């Protein structure tokens, strides 16, 4: 990590707040594997009991990536009956689509694909680019979570299992991306840059968001945190046993995500997300610092991809290369520059008050 995070702080030993926070929060992962396995077994039995008489015990997300593919396999090994949910936002790579089929078909897992309205979603992505915040991946992330919640409501499922995990994703830079679950933020950006209201995009209702934050309904289960999850081992297993195809960098299963994280963020904002991904792997002992420094010394995006991908992305978004270049040159802005839930008169202060009371009463989550 470096000062491309404006909030970073280094102590006298040269350790930054991200690393010290990671180790402070890693107590659960220091528990013996046997104890984590025991807790997972209890949770699995609870999911089976609550899923009795229903078609599914849980919802899982699938993208064709390493983490979600590994989760699908482990969920079946645990004897659970998952419904897989995939959001098609129009940018999936062929490898990602093929990987989903390679994993789900032999496991006999049902798949529900949510296809976003491309015309509206294209306008929304373009609106976020014009907003000049580093949050242009927010619409896709929001649609994924909204689709999880929609599936749990439709089928009466109480649990969402996902591949987010502390060992490989435990470091996050707030200023590099905010507002993932903030429907107000998404609606305000869309309206400001299109003059219209969203009609088809799956937004998370505030009531659903509050229920999830306060009552944990549905309950999010971070399955990989209960395991000694090693990403390189998982990748080798997928390659050897399922014919899974590697797609390159983290989250590169999406063409737009690949270009946005690999070129737009570093080029326009100076943010290289490899820093936090690699730092997490160093903290968890899955990579040495020297190995990480060697990897990050390479350009974040292959130079020969830049011009073809610029042309492809601009054309798919329906704008000229000149307009795309103008958007890239526009002044940088932040999440707080647009209406959002955090600065809403009721939601932000109310959530802060709940967190204070929760801490004082020592509620267990």
């Amino acid at each position: 990590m470096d000062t491309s995070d404006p909030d970073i702080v280094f102590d006298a030993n040269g350790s930054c707040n991200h690393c010290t926070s990671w180790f402070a929060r890693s107590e659960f992962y220091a528990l013996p594997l046997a104890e984590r396995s025991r807790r997972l077994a209890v949770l699995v039995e609870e999911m089976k009991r609550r899923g009795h008489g229903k078609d599914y015990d849980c919802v899982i997300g699938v993208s064709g990536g390493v983490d979600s593919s590994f989760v699908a396999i482990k969920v079946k090994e645990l004897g659970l009956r998952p419904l897989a949910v995939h959001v098609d936002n129009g940018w999936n790579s062929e490898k990602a689509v093929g990987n989903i089929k390679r994993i789900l078909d032999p496991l006999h897992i049902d798949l529900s694909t949510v296809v976003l309205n491309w015309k509206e979603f294209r306008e929304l992505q373009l609106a976020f680019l014009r907003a000049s915040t580093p949050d242009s991946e927010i619409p896709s992330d929001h649609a994924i979570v909204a689709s999880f919640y929609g599936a749990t409501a439709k089928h009466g499922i109480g649990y969402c299992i996902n591949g987010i995990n502390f060992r490989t994703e435990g470091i996050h830079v707030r200023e590099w991306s905010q507002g993932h679950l903030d429907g107000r933020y998404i609606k305000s950006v869309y309206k400001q840059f299109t003059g219209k209201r969203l009609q088809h995009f799956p937004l998370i209702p505030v009531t659903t968001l509050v229920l999830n934050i306060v009552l944990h309904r549905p309950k999010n289960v971070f399955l990989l945190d209960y395991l000694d999850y090693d990403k390189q081992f998982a990748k080798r297993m997928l390659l050897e046993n399922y014919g899974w195809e590697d797609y390159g960098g983290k989250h590169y299963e999406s063409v737009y995500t690949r270009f946005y994280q690999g070129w737009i963020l570093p080029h326009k904002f100076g943010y290289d997300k490899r820093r936090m991904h690699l730092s997490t792997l160093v903290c968890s002992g899955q990579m040495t610092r020297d190995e990480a420094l060697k990897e990050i010394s390479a350009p974040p995006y292959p130079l020969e991809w830049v011009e073809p991908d610029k042309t492809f992305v601009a054309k798919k978004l329906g704008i000229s290369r000149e307009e795309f270049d103008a958007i890239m040159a526009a002044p940088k802005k932040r999440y707080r520059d647009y209406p959002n839930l955090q600065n809403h008169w009721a939601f932000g202060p109310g959530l802060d008050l709940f967190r204070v009371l929760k801490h004082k009463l020592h509620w267990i989550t």
Side-chain angles (χ1 to χ4, degrees), residues 113-124:
T113 299
V114 178
V115 180
L116 301 185
N117 180 288
W118 170 244
K119 181 178 182 296
E120 184 179 71
F121 187 69
R122 178 187 64 81
E123 293 176 340
L124 180 58

Side-chain angles (χ1 to χ4, degrees), residues 61 67-68 71 161-166 168-169 221-224 229 250:
D67 298 339
S68 67
V71 164
I161 300 180
N162 62 59
I164 297 173
N165 66 96
F166 187 73
T168 67
E169 300 178 303
V221 177
F222 305 102
L223 176 63
L224 299 181
Y229 181 57
K250 186 175 179 64

